[in-house]
Amino acid sequence: MSQPAAYRVSHLDALEAESVFVIREVVAELERPVLLFSGGKDSIVMLRLAEKAFAPARIPFPVMHVDTGHNFPEVLDYRDRRVSELGLHLVVASVPEALESGLVREAGDGMRNRIQTPVLLDAVEKYRFDALFGGARRDEEKARAKERVFSFRDDFGQWDPKNQRPELWSLYNGRHHPGESIRIFPLSNWTELDVWHYIAREGLTLPSIYYAHQREVVERDGMLYAVNEFIRPRPTETTFTETVRYRTVGDASCTAAVRSDADTVQKVIDEVAATRITERGATRGDDRVSEAAMEDRKREGYF
């Protein structure tokens, strides 16, 4: 009598199943979830997971973009196209509008990442969202490594790493009082390399800036920033053309590129497999303010 074939689940299948379970659990437990969708690679993967979680039905919640006004055009074009393809409702929480209304004030350095927080919290209150899906992963940054999958936020939207709930045996507690909310991180246990392997397996399209291309840049603090309307060369700086790609997509005023010739998914996978620095560490100028820059922002309500 022949032995039955061994049942094996691949690493990616296990990660996908865990993330789909988390997404379904949120919809079952909470009333008004929303998915943060910027057009970046992590949010693109989350959107794909949400599709799978509820197929053949439509995704049963809206998506939201906290728009700083400092965007890469390729990313905005992708965001709008993908939302249209899936027939989703897009909520835009606009930092420029918040500046006009006086809700926030422009920072002296021109970076708008920090002032996203009041805009995000204002949108949460306005639309009464009680669960916000985010694409943060524990491998990105040490403050994010402290996060639970269900990350509790108080009625001011603030995060206290010492006031979080146990998640033994993948049991998630979504209880909260009115005004409180839960940030949900379905990709917590993924790595950057996992994300790219999944993009390859699923055949997902990405904004073109994730792949190698030529761009006019300026080197600043050891990083390559694209010259655009938000980044202008200083008197002591010289611009030059370099073949680069972006490992992460954020505010164009503080997101740098890396030198790269990876113009296909497989080349990106090979490059990421060999790197020893996270994408935020390599490309995000806002994280260099201090050792605890990310944790400080998260305590204030940042994602």
Side-chain angles (χ1 to χ4, degrees), residues 92-209:
V92 177
S94 173
V95 172
E97 289 180 7
L99 286 167
E100 288 183 13
S101 69
L103 176 64
V104 294
R105 296 177 62 183
E106 188 95 60
D109 57 11
M111 293 185 188
R112 291 184 174 179
N113 260 13
R114 189 139 201 157
I115 60 175
Q116 286 183 85
T117 300
V119 180
L120 170 63
L121 298 180
D122 183 65
V124 170
E125 182 178 3
K126 177 180 177 181
Y127 295 100
R128 297 185 292 113
F129 294 132
D130 59 358
L132 289 80
F133 291 104
R137 309 185 319 270
R138 291 185 178 126
D139 75 319
E140 288 182 90
E141 203 273 342
K142 56 190 176 183
R144 286 184 165 167
K146 297 179 181 180
E147 286 278 20
R148 300 285 197 269
V149 176
F150 276 39
S151 180
F152 173 76
R153 304 298 173 102
D154 65 20
D155 51 358
F156 293 102
Q158 296 177 331
W159 175 66
D160 180 358
K162 296 181 180 180
N163 183 27
Q164 299 297 315
R165 298 159 180 179
E167 294 179 341
L168 303 175
W169 306 293
S170 297
L171 296 175
Y172 301 112
N173 182 356
R175 290 185 180 180
H176 62 287
H177 296 295
E180 298 173 343
S181 62
I182 309 289
R183 306 289 173 85
I184 313 294
F185 301 110
L187 304 184
S188 286
N189 294 325
W190 296 53
T191 65
E192 183 185 9
L193 190 57
D194 293 330
V195 168
W196 278 102
H197 276 301
Y198 193 77
I199 288 167
R201 192 185 81 173
E202 297 294 309
L204 299 177
T205 59
L206 298 183
S208 59
I209 64 175

Side-chain angles (χ1 to χ4, degrees), residues 26 41 86 88 138 148 169 177 183 204 207 225-226 236 290 294:
V26 169
K41 67 181 187 307
L86 295 176
L88 300 173
R138 291 185 178 126
R148 300 285 197 269
W169 306 293
H177 296 295
R183 306 289 173 85
L204 299 177
Y225 290 94
T236 58
S290 73
M294 172 63 79

Side-chain angles (χ1 to χ4, degrees), residues 13-289:
D13 284 337
L15 288 172
E16 179 188 72
E18 178 187 52
S19 298
V20 165
F21 169 74
V22 167
I23 293 170
R24 289 173 175 165
E25 189 73 9
V26 169
V27 172
E29 283 194 48
L30 292 108
E31 294 182 3
R32 298 180 66 86
V34 65
L35 187 149
L36 271 288
F37 183 68
S38 64
K41 67 181 187 307
D42 298 307
S43 61
I44 290 169
V45 167
M46 279 205 306
L47 201 58
R48 177 60 171 164
L49 293 166
E51 283 187 87
K52 289 195 171 188
F54 304 104
R58 293 170 60 179
I59 296 171
F61 42 74
V63 297
M64 179 166 67
H65 181 204
V66 182
D67 180 8
T68 65
H70 291 175
N71 297 294
F72 294 99
E74 302 95 323
V75 179
L76 280 188
D77 291 344
Y78 180 95
R79 179 202 71 182
D80 294 339
R81 183 173 69 252
R82 193 74 180 112
V83 165
S84 176
E85 289 171 354
L86 295 176
L88 300 173
H89 173 56
L90 172 65
V91 175
V92 177
S94 173
V95 172
E97 289 180 7
L99 286 167
E100 288 183 13
S101 69
L103 176 64
V104 294
R105 296 177 62 183
E106 188 95 60
D109 57 11
M111 293 185 188
R112 291 184 174 179
N113 260 13
R114 189 139 201 157
I115 60 175
Q116 286 183 85
T117 300
V119 180
L120 170 63
L121 298 180
D122 183 65
V124 170
E125 182 178 3
K126 177 180 177 181
Y127 295 100
R128 297 185 292 113
F129 294 132
D130 59 358
L132 289 80
F133 291 104
R137 309 185 319 270
R138 291 185 178 126
D139 75 319
E140 288 182 90
E141 203 273 342
K142 56 190 176 183
R144 286 184 165 167
K146 297 179 181 180
E147 286 278 20
R148 300 285 197 269
V149 176
F150 276 39
S151 180
F152 173 76
R153 304 298 173 102
D154 65 20
D155 51 358
F156 293 102
Q158 296 177 331
W159 175 66
D160 180 358
K162 296 181 180 180
N163 183 27
Q164 299 297 315
R165 298 159 180 179
E167 294 179 341
L168 303 175
W169 306 293
S170 297
L171 296 175
Y172 301 112
N173 182 356
R175 290 185 180 180
H176 62 287
H177 296 295
E180 298 173 343
S181 62
I182 309 289
R183 306 289 173 85
I184 313 294
F185 301 110
L187 304 184
S188 286
N189 294 325
W190 296 53
T191 65
E192 183 185 9
L193 190 57
D194 293 330
V195 168
W196 278 102
H197 276 301
Y198 193 77
I199 288 167
R201 192 185 81 173
E202 297 294 309
L204 299 177
T205 59
L206 298 183
S208 59
I209 64 175
Y210 275 110
Y211 300 106
H213 58 285
Q214 288 198 328
R215 192 175 287 255
E216 185 182 13
V217 298
V218 60
E219 186 164 359
R220 185 175 297 170
D221 299 325
M223 295 191 289
L224 300 177
Y225 290 94
V227 175
N228 51 48
E229 60 182 301
F230 316 116
I231 293 281
R232 306 306 304 171
R234 296 166 181 166
T236 58
E237 295 174 335
T238 302
T239 64
F240 56 96
T241 300
E242 185 67 78
T243 302
V244 299
R245 74 175 191 87
Y246 285 83
R247 288 178 66 185
T248 183
V249 171
D251 190 313
S253 67
C254 60
T255 303
V258 294
R259 290 182 175 89
S260 174
D261 61 0
D263 55 2
T264 66
V265 174
Q266 187 55 53
K267 287 182 180 179
V268 172
I269 289 172
D270 294 341
E271 183 179 273
V272 172
T275 191
R276 291 297 177 266
I277 184 170
T278 69
E279 67 260 49
R280 290 197 70 93
T283 65
R284 297 301 289 269
D286 52 325
D287 286 346
R288 297 194 174 191
V289 175

